[in-house]
Amino acid sequence: MKYATRSAVALVVSGVMSTFALAEGLRERVLRDAALDAGLLPANQLSVEQSEDLVNVGKLLFESRLLSFNNDTACASCHLDRFGSTDGLPNAIGTEGEGFGSARVLNGGDIVPRNVLPFWGRGGVGFEVFFWDGKVDGASGRLVSQFGANAPSLDPLVVAVHLPPAEIGEMVIDRRDTEELQTEDVETAKRLYTELTERIQLDPILGQKVANARNRALEDLAFIDVAEAIAAFIRFNFRVKDTKFHQFVFSDTKLTDREIEGGLLFYGRAGCSRCHNGPYFTDFDFHAIPFPQVGFGRNGFGVDYGRFNVTLDEADRYGFRTPPLYNVTQTGPYSHSGSIANLSDAIRVHIDPLFFVEPKNMDGNDRIEFYERLKIWSGSPLNGVVASDSEIDAIAEFLGTLSYESDVSVKFVD
Ligand code: HEC
Ligand code: HEC
């Protein structure tokens, strides 16, 4: 994605910068210019104003188990503060799961074959592509989603919020008496939304609060009101705030030598900003990085075709949306399959994918899958990048400067 304002902003800001550029070294100046050139913007240019009442009731809905068909799962079951709005697990555990974090693995429950995505910056200005495979995508100005022409909203985040409550295994149980709800088609989803809305209307607190915040009579509530409230909460609570790196670029906060070393590698020799660029550290495009694919996969055990699931174009196989990198130190394990626990290793995979592969433990199919991904990767700018262990760790330290905190903590309520 291109940011039209990039060079204009860079020009304006570099004028301001020159007043204290003299007092600092060349490395600082080069890093600052590289960040501006790659599209970094001050955090306040990314936030979209939200109504306070809507945000407050959105938080309550986010924490409520009423939104899962069998009343056992809330958004907050998988998107927890403790793990930077993810769950700390490789693959998410949805319906019939109990407890949080690793306790959820011990207690069973339905596996969702992807790593939970965090919320930092989601729905901010220009953030319009959602999920690992971009199945909700407003980047072209025309909203693309599985709702087709029946999209409930033109706001991609509001559409994205509609999906988890209709996703089998995530918030709809895949057994027992829900057979008629087992197809994830638009009609089924609509029936589900009607049922969930009725529950919210009947709830002694939530119903009236949503109605007030949306200026509607209680009996006129629809699922769109619920989704708008949750979207408002996500947009507000996780909006990008100035990080240590923003403070370095836009005012004169110092970084450590190691952070500067990592930053120069990130924007320079290691080629990270070829994809992790713009104000959210993502190009909102899809690329194949040969992260190990462990356990479950969207397309069968050990297989996830990523973007191909949305476009059905062979060329999109194994492509995943470049993940934004805010608060990335908190959101492990990493990648769409959650196969890498450690941040330095997640960086290493990009330039040395074989490091993580044990061919003897792979069956023939796994190996063929891996060769395919390697073939695509070999044409990327990452092939040929060399970085020492110490340099990789410096990049990880640099990524630590992209941290900030949310306003409130999310609780799971009974
Ligand atoms: C069972 C665990 C689970 C629950 C419950 C859950 N999510 Fe998620 N969430 C995930 C996973 C896994 C992904 C990534 C899925 C993918 O991209 O294929 C995700 C991704 C998202 C995204 C996309 C973020 C991005 O970067 O594009 C949004 C938005 C989201 N969830 C909102 C919600 C909301 C709202 C709820 C409650 C209505 C919810 N989630 C409930 C596991 C969960
Ligand atoms: C060719 C585009 C591209 C380049 C260049 C690139 N990345 Fe990535 N990066 C991605 C994609 C795509 C993923 C997700 C892949 C997946 O999950 O299968 C990813 C994943 C990551 C993750 C894991 C994030 C998470 O939330 O799971 C980190 C950390 C990361 N990249 C950092 C870096 C660093 C540091 C560099 C420079 C060495 C770099 N990337 C270079 C595209 C790129």
Side-chain angles (χ1 to χ4, degrees), residues 12 14 65 81 108 138 162 187 198 204 215 230 302 345 382 392 401:
V12 172
S14 61
R65 299 202 273 196
D81 293 332
H162 274 73
E187 279 314 308
E198 281 167 9
N215 282 326
I230 297 177
D345 285 344
L382 290 162
I392 289 175
T401 69

Side-chain angles (χ1 to χ4, degrees), residues 15-279:
V16 178
M17 290 301 139
S18 57
T19 49
F20 54 90
L22 288 176
E24 65 177 12
L26 179 63
R27 285 154 58 83
E28 281 85 350
R29 218 165 8 169
V30 169
L31 177 55
R32 185 174 282 134
D33 286 347
L36 293 170
D37 214 31
L40 190 75
L41 291 175
N44 63 14
Q45 291 189 20
L46 304 177
S47 61
V48 184
E49 216 171 307
Q50 303 298 316
S51 123
E52 197 181 333
D53 287 350
L54 203 58
V55 168
N56 290 341
V57 71
K59 174 175 182 287
L60 298 178
L61 291 164
F62 189 86
E63 295 166 337
S64 167
R65 299 202 273 196
L66 288 179
L67 285 184
S68 69
F69 192 72
N70 65 331
N71 293 298
D72 69 353
T73 315
C75 308
S77 305
C78 297
H79 296 280
L80 289 86
D81 293 332
R82 210 186 322 159
F83 303 105
S85 74
T86 70
D87 61 355
L89 299 174
N91 284 177
I93 297 178
T95 37
E96 298 200 304
E98 283 171 33
F100 304 111
S102 51
R104 246 172 133 69
V105 177
L106 292 176
N107 293 327
D110 297 320
I111 306 274
V112 179
R114 290 246 171 101
N115 185 243
V116 177
L117 280 161
F119 291 145
W120 311 103
R122 272 52 175 181
V125 172
F127 197 121
E128 296 179 332
V129 180
F130 289 90
F131 299 103
W132 282 109
D133 50 18
K135 65 186 170 190
V136 175
D137 184 346
S140 67
R142 221 188 87 241
L143 188 94
V144 180
S145 78
Q146 60 227 71
F147 291 98
N150 296 316
S153 165
L154 292 177
D155 177 340
L157 177 59
V158 173
V159 175
V161 164
H162 274 73
L163 297 184
E167 203 89 47
I168 306 281
E170 198 161 323
M171 298 182 84
V172 185
I173 201 161
D174 66 355
R175 281 183 290 279
R176 291 212 293 259
D177 49 11
T178 55
E179 256 155 50
E180 80 280 16
L181 290 169
Q182 282 204 11
T183 41
E184 289 175 352
D185 60 35
V186 175
E187 279 314 308
T188 315
K190 277 191 187 150
R191 269 190 289 146
L192 195 61
Y193 296 145
T194 308
E195 156 87 27
L196 299 180
T197 309
E198 281 167 9
R199 285 184 191 178
I200 306 289
Q201 283 167 315
L202 288 172
D203 184 273
I205 297 169
L206 284 175
Q208 200 53 54
K209 280 193 183 218
V210 182
N212 293 350
R214 292 280 289 165
N215 282 326
R216 280 198 210 294
L218 183 60
E219 61 273 20
D220 292 340
L221 278 191
F223 194 75
I224 185 73
D225 300 306
V226 173
E228 290 274 2
I230 297 177
F233 167 67
I234 292 177
R235 240 186 202 121
F236 175 78
N237 198 45
F238 299 94
R239 71 191 181 282
V240 177
K241 295 186 187 165
D242 282 334
T243 64
K244 185 176 180 188
F245 189 55
H246 285 86
Q247 285 161 15
F248 164 79
V249 173
F250 298 110
S251 38
D252 60 356
T253 303
K254 298 262 176 293
L255 295 185
T256 66
D257 284 348
R258 286 284 281 169
E259 288 163 350
I260 289 174
E261 179 189 356
L264 289 170
L265 285 160
F266 184 91
Y267 287 105
R269 179 157 55 83
C272 313
S273 62
R274 302 279 287 260
C275 302
H276 296 279
N277 56 35

